Structure formats: C-alpha cells, structure tokens
Amino acid sequence: MTASPPRQLHLNAFLMNAGHHDAAWRHPRTQPERITDLRYFQHLALTAERGLLDSVFLADGLALWGKVRHNALGGFEPLTLLSALAAVTEHVGLIATVSTTFNEPFHIARKFASLDHLSGGRAGWNIVTSGTVDEARNFGREEHLEHGLRYRRAREFVEVATKLWDSWDDDAILLDRERGVYADTAKVRAIDHHGEHFGVRGPLNVPRSPQGHPLLVQAGSSEDGKEFAARYAEAVFTAQQTLADGQAFYKDLKSRLARHGRSGEELRILPGICPVIGSTEAEARALEVELTELQVPEYGLAQLSGMLGVDLTGLPLDGPLPELPEERDINGNKSRFTLVAELARRDGLTLRELIARLGGGRGHRVFAGTAEQIADQLEEWFTQGAADGFNIMPPHLPGGLEDFVDQVVPELQRRGLFRTAYTGRTLREHYGLPRPGTRTAPAARPA
C-alpha cells in the first residue's frame, strides 16, 4: 500500500497596492506611484510564482474605501488585471473578489469561465456579498441589503453560476469539419433557472473551462458566512489573532461540512498573516515601529469607525472604545466587527493602540520576526489544527513579498512543509481539489 504524501502548506499572496500596512505608501521601500502600472503587478505575480505559491489574490470593493487623502487607494478592477497577469505567468493561481450583491450570475459565470480559459485553468473566485452602504449607494440604494438577505441572494447566485458552468459538457465541441458539426447540441443545455432572485435561461456562451468551475473562495466568518462556506467554499480566507481562536474556527468550520455531504478535505482554511520580516528580530520590530510612526491617526480612526459601525470622530485617541452596538445590529462585516471589538476588550487597548494594532492587517494577525520565526509561527498553526495554509499579506510591496519568497519559503521547504516545484497545472491541482463533473460526467479527483 502506497503511503500518502506528507501534508504541505498552501500559500496565497494577497496583493494590495503599496502593501497591507495603511502607512506603507509613505515608506521609502514602496512604490505607490505604480498602483495602476501593469508592470508593477506583473512583477508581484512573477515573484509569487518564483516562490511556488499556490495563488495571488486581489480584494475588491464597489466604492472608494477609506480616506484617499491619507492612503494609496483605488486601482484596477481585479478580473481585468488578472487577465493581463495570466499572459505573463504559467503556474500561479489568479483569484479575484467579485460581489454577488451588485452583479448578475450570467455576467460573472462568463467572466470567470473566460479567465479560466485564458489562464489555462488558474481562475479563482472570492465570493463576497459587499459590506458597506457606500457600495449600495453606487447602485441606486440608500441602504444596504440586510445581512441575511445578502447571503440568501449569494447562495442562489452561486447555484446559478454553477449551473451555467455545467451547461456545456467537456466533450460538447466535436469540430467535425466534414459533416459541418461544430458542437453536439445535446451536450449544450439551457438551465431554465427560476428562483427568488434570478431568472436565467442559459446556456452559458463560453464552453466549459479547464477547471470546470473556478476555485470557490469565501472570506466571511459570521454565522451566515460559515454556513455559506461549509456549503460552497473550497478555500476560506479568515482572520484570527490567536492560535486558540484559529483552532476553534478551524474545528467549527470543518465540522459543518458533513451536513452538506462534504468531507474536511474538500475545504482549505487559510488565515491571514502580515509578516514583518527582518534579518534579526530587532530589525523586524524596528520596521514595524517605522510603519506605525508613519500612520495618520485620522485615517486609522475613519477605518476603525467603518469596522465598528460607530462614528469615532473627535474621541480622545488615548481613551478607550465607546460602548458598541450588539453584533446582531451590525449590517456590514459582522465577523470583522466582532474580531476588532474583542481584541480591544481583551487587551484593554486605547483608540491609538487599536489603530496601531490594526494598521498592518485590519484585524488579521501581524507578526514581526526573522524568517525562521515566521516559519515557526506558520508551522505551529499548521500542525496544531488551526490552518491548512496562509493568506500572506506583505506589509509593504514589493519588498515584503520578495522577503517572504526569498527567506521564508526556503525555510518552509527545508522543513518539508512546502513544495519545491509545482506538480500541477491548474489552481485546483495546486490546492489538491477535484475538478467538478457535469450532469453527465463524474468529478475528476486530483492525482
């Protein structure tokens, strides 16, 4: 009997303009003038590929987030950018954030099928419901849809997109020039979906793509979000501050899969970590202090107000958080509200201290140390039941990603925790996940 190969980490590079620290753009190691320069993002994607990372990921919102007066905000629409990156990369996965609240399933199914073809099977969809009233106001609404309703719409949205991807069989295209038959129309089907939110006849006007479906990713940790992930997601980007919190989330989410006929191996959980890397621990901590000292308190206060749903303008920075609403009354990002509120309460943080703690990761864990110390942290969470891999969030770019690839990845490889070569071609193969079947063909298990 052949032994199973040792379990290895999955690593995703979360790319964000000048870097994840909200003061990164002010640091001399960054290039904020290049956030709409294709060559800049090509360099980042090629760096991730050089490090053999599973994927790169682009967040997105449908409004201008935060105070652009104090941060390098705005930039490319992710599917457009990833299509351009597909042309210069060969292996690294390409994951785009797209909202189910302010789009239609046919559009999105078509775009992801196109990206999957263009990239040779490397597309991934980070499914979000959108979380801010500013986004709603860009689409003719004065208020955002209620949280539960957004998730009900999201469930139907994903089901429709899936039906559309499955509306072509893999062998539908015959290319029979002699008989003049391009496709077997018995293998190209209308879906005739009629639901609460959508009516879609189909079929999709893109043939079935290399992966069948893009990798489905989700990032919400509320009750609605976890149930959605247990039913549909194949990878989850999540935020926990402590090992114990990570273990609890991991156990909770994996335990929910059986109710949906799924096993724990069908879902990869990747907590976010913002690694501040130095040749010594002192050097890493000095860089962390440098970035904190470059923060603009006005920006941090506005960002914190958005996370908590409370206007903190004018409150003393060296005072505590005011009384907050209950989580059930939050209509935005419930999981991030809970994380930030608990962090402040647990550590007794003032507003100034909380802004500093959130500067690098907006609630994701920030860790400053050497490459070996970073690897120790990743290994501990990976081996102690808190993670299947990590969403790497460099505090500054491009150097923070280069440091991770050139220093941390070799250390993980030395420990046998990470690949030394790509062994698959598609994003699903990188993550060790099956290629979905259609109505007439079974799913293909990964080799």
Side-chain angles (χ1 to χ4, degrees):
M1 184 175 179
T2 304
S4 298
R7 181 169 169 258
Q8 291 190 321
L9 286 162
H10 298 285
L11 298 175
N12 172 77
F14 183 173
L15 306 181
M16 181 169 280
N17 286 359
H20 281 270
H21 199 284
D22 61 34
W25 71 278
R26 300 183 67 193
H27 196 277
R29 289 188 65 184
T30 65
Q31 301 168 6
E33 70 279 5
R34 299 186 67 194
I35 67 170
T36 51
D37 180 347
L38 174 59
R39 292 168 298 175
Y40 171 70
F41 282 96
Q42 287 174 335
H43 172 75
L44 295 176
L46 288 167
T47 300
E49 187 162 88
R50 177 165 60 80
L52 307 176
L53 272 60
D54 296 63
S55 46
V56 296
F57 161 58
L58 300 174
D60 192 46
L62 297 170
L64 183 60
W65 286 341
K67 286 185 173 291
V68 73
R69 177 178 174 85
H70 300 302
N71 200 353
L73 304 172
F76 289 120
E77 186 281 318
L79 281 165
T80 307
L81 176 56
L82 291 177
S83 296
L85 297 183
V88 298
T89 55
E90 295 182 15
H91 297 285
V92 72
L94 307 165
I95 302 175
T97 298
V98 176
S99 171
T100 58
T101 303
F102 302 113
N103 282 294
E104 289 289 320
F106 193 94
H107 285 134
I108 301 311
R110 186 187 190 198
K111 290 176 182 179
F112 275 107
S114 297
L115 178 61
D116 208 47
H117 278 292
L118 288 170
S119 63
R122 294 183 283 137
W125 175 17
N126 179 43
I127 304 161
V128 299
T129 66
S130 299
T132 70
V133 69
D134 286 341
E135 291 170 289
R137 289 172 181 169
N138 284 336
F139 292 87
R141 295 179 177 274
E142 280 305 306
E143 297 297 334
H144 205 355
L145 294 179
E146 186 271 326
H147 189 271
L149 175 58
R150 298 203 304 271
Y151 271 98
R152 291 196 297 276
R153 178 185 166 96
R155 287 192 289 273
E156 187 179 345
F157 194 113
V158 173
E159 288 170 2
V160 174
T162 300
K163 290 178 184 177
L164 287 166
W165 292 319
D166 290 343
S167 64
W168 289 66
D169 284 353
D170 288 317
D171 59 352
I173 296 177
L174 300 179
L175 279 177
D176 188 335
R177 291 182 171 90
E178 185 174 332
R179 291 193 299 138
V181 178
Y182 175 74
D184 182 346
T185 50
K187 296 183 177 183
V188 182
R189 298 171 293 274
I191 68 170
D192 289 323
H193 176 88
H194 302 281
E196 179 185 357
H197 301 282
F198 306 109
V200 181
R201 183 173 187 275
L204 193 63
N205 56 351
V206 181
R208 190 160 166 85
S209 72
Q211 290 189 114
H213 306 170
L215 182 78
L216 299 181
V217 184
Q218 191 264 354
S221 298
S222 65
E223 278 302 307
D224 285 329
K226 286 187 285 190
E227 278 301 303
F228 184 89
R231 185 169 181 176
Y232 300 108
E234 295 164 306
V236 168
F237 297 152
T238 183
Q240 280 84 41
Q241 287 282 327
T242 68
L243 175 62
D245 288 345
Q247 290 169 324
F249 179 85
Y250 188 96
K251 181 178 179 181
D252 178 19
L253 186 51
K254 293 270 187 173
S255 71
R256 296 173 186 241
L257 270 68
R259 296 201 296 271
H260 301 283
R262 304 177 67 198
S263 74
E265 287 303 304
E266 295 178 64
L267 175 67
R268 305 286 181 253
I269 296 177
L270 289 80
I273 184 168
C274 179
V276 185
I277 304 168
S279 59
T280 64
E281 183 178 346
E283 183 180 297
R285 293 194 179 282
L287 175 57
E288 187 176 31
V289 170
E290 278 181 42
L291 289 165
T292 298
E293 290 177 345
L294 290 172
Q295 283 187 292
V296 178
E298 182 184 344
Y299 178 87
L301 204 61
Q303 188 178 46
L304 186 57
S305 296
M307 290 180 184
L308 296 175
V310 174
D311 185 1
L312 304 173
T313 306
L315 292 180
L317 289 174
D318 294 311
L321 273 179
E323 186 173 343
L324 299 177
E326 297 292 328
E327 181 189 315
R328 63 175 179 271
D329 297 324
I330 296 296
N331 195 35
N333 188 328
K334 288 180 180 286
S335 55
R336 194 55 50 90
F337 167 87
T338 301
L339 186 150
V340 171
E342 289 181 353
L343 172 64
R345 290 167 184 151
R346 183 184 69 228
D347 294 351
L349 302 177
T350 65
L351 287 175
R352 189 188 305 277
E353 291 167 336
L354 187 54
I355 289 168
R357 289 280 288 274
L358 296 174
R362 302 172 307 284
H364 291 274
R365 187 162 177 249
V366 179
F367 185 86
T370 64
E372 292 78 11
Q373 290 172 320
I374 300 292
D376 288 342
Q377 293 295 310
L378 303 187
E379 182 173 12
E380 181 182 30
W381 282 51
F382 180 60
T383 59
Q384 298 302 311
D388 295 310
F390 294 89
N391 201 18
I392 305 303
M393 303 167 58
H396 59 93
L397 289 170
L401 180 59
E402 293 166 344
D403 291 345
F404 186 87
V405 163
D406 293 332
Q407 299 176 42
V408 181
V409 166
E411 180 62 24
L412 295 172
Q413 291 169 329
R414 187 185 67 77
R415 302 180 189 196
L417 294 171
F418 192 59
R419 65 172 68 90
T420 55
Y422 285 112
T423 56
R425 179 69 183 83
T426 70
L427 179 55
R428 288 182 169 278
E429 289 170 340
H430 298 343
Y431 278 92
L433 294 167
R435 182 182 188 274
T438 64
R439 191 171 69 187
T440 59
R445 299 299 304 179

